[in-house]
Amino acid sequence: MIDAMTPSGPVRLVIFDCDGVLVDSERIAVRVQREVLAGMGWPLDEGEIVRRFIGRSAQSIGAIVEEQLGDGAGARWDEWFHRRHREEVDAGLPLVEGIADALDGILPHVATCIASGGDHVKMRHTLGVTGLWPRFEGRIFSSTEVARGKPAPDVFLYAAERMGVDPAACVVIEDSRFGVEAARAAGMRAFGFAGGLTPGERLVGPDTTVFHDMRELPKLLGFAA
């Protein structure tokens, strides 16, 4: 076994976000988000949707929609968005490019789990469609299980607790500004993937390594052959 290092010692747990890190679903989410919000009377362009929503939990987005559009809008958004998202995923959902190679280089060396703003039904669907569910089954945690979604650290701290690992020995793989902020707030080192929709400059910050190719991840974590 190869020991990767955090500033406080060896890495004992690698925590993956799901959307945009494992499965390339953020592009679908943005497209569906534009459609749904425009239909509800709140048209936003792609950049604004990425800035406002990517990395947030469904509960947080629903609350924002409710505040913007009024009573009952959050529930209508939730129903419409998740129905259309499921339809789009069923039509074809790829893995994030290079993630299969990255996982092959990481999973033999260290404990792993998923901690996502998505709910368990959505993750079971996206991970099932892409064949990743068996690689993480039993080690998948959702913001629906904690009080606050990202950028609060709750879901990452919950994942570390459930996995029996000190937060200081965890690293987080994220693709959103809210996600890397949550990792930092949890006292965990963040690896910000800038190969998706969020520009790399939005991921930069303390204890954060920004990278653009998932195939680089094992080496960045210290698990290179």
Side-chain angles (χ1 to χ4, degrees):
M1 178 178 291
I2 305 167
D3 267 343
M5 300 294 289
T6 64
S8 60
V11 174
R12 299 302 184 200
L13 177 64
V14 178
I15 303 175
F16 290 90
D17 180 40
C18 184
D19 297 304
V21 169
L22 297 174
V23 297
D24 195 10
S25 53
E26 296 290 34
R27 300 175 204 281
I28 291 175
V30 169
R31 184 168 67 247
V32 172
Q33 195 78 277
R34 287 187 68 183
E35 173 192 322
V36 170
L37 291 175
M40 295 180 71
W42 190 17
L44 297 172
D45 64 25
E46 177 179 304
E48 187 71 3
I49 288 170
V50 170
R51 185 182 71 80
R52 286 176 178 264
F53 300 128
I54 292 297
R56 286 193 181 273
S57 67
Q59 303 99 301
S60 298
I61 297 173
I64 294 169
V65 172
E66 184 89 3
E67 181 178 1
Q68 177 73 24
L69 298 179
D71 187 45
R76 293 196 302 275
W77 169 85
D78 186 80
E79 190 280 328
W80 191 357
F81 175 83
H82 284 96
R83 175 171 53 81
R84 286 291 296 119
H85 187 275
R86 186 175 186 89
E87 292 169 354
E88 290 287 322
V89 166
D90 283 340
L93 174 64
L95 293 173
V96 167
E97 185 177 357
I99 192 61
D101 293 333
L103 293 176
D104 287 343
I106 293 167
L107 296 185
H109 300 299
V110 67
T112 59
C113 68
I114 295 172
S116 171
D119 63 39
H120 282 285
V121 172
K122 178 184 173 186
M123 285 190 282
R124 176 116 197 187
H125 184 218
T126 57
L127 295 169
V129 165
T130 54
L132 289 182
W133 178 265
R135 304 190 81 164
F136 291 97
E137 187 172 3
R139 308 187 317 282
I140 301 173
F141 309 105
S142 166
S143 289
T144 60
E145 299 172 81
V146 296
R148 302 172 299 170
K150 304 169 190 175
D154 301 27
V155 71
F156 292 140
L157 293 173
Y158 176 68
E161 178 183 9
R162 288 286 303 273
M163 295 292 293
V165 178
D166 189 292
C170 300
V171 297
V172 173
I173 317 303
E174 265 286 356
D175 71 313
S176 74
R177 177 171 64 88
F178 297 120
V180 294
E181 288 176 359
R184 294 173 199 140
M188 301 176 182
R189 185 176 173 194
F191 286 78
F193 175 58
L197 295 180
T198 301
E201 59 267 23
R202 293 190 185 174
L203 304 175
V204 172
D207 296 321
T208 303
T209 299
V210 176
F211 69 106
H212 293 80
D213 186 338
M214 276 295 175
R215 297 176 187 88
E216 299 172 359
L217 188 56
K219 183 176 180 180
L220 291 172
L221 290 172
F223 300 128

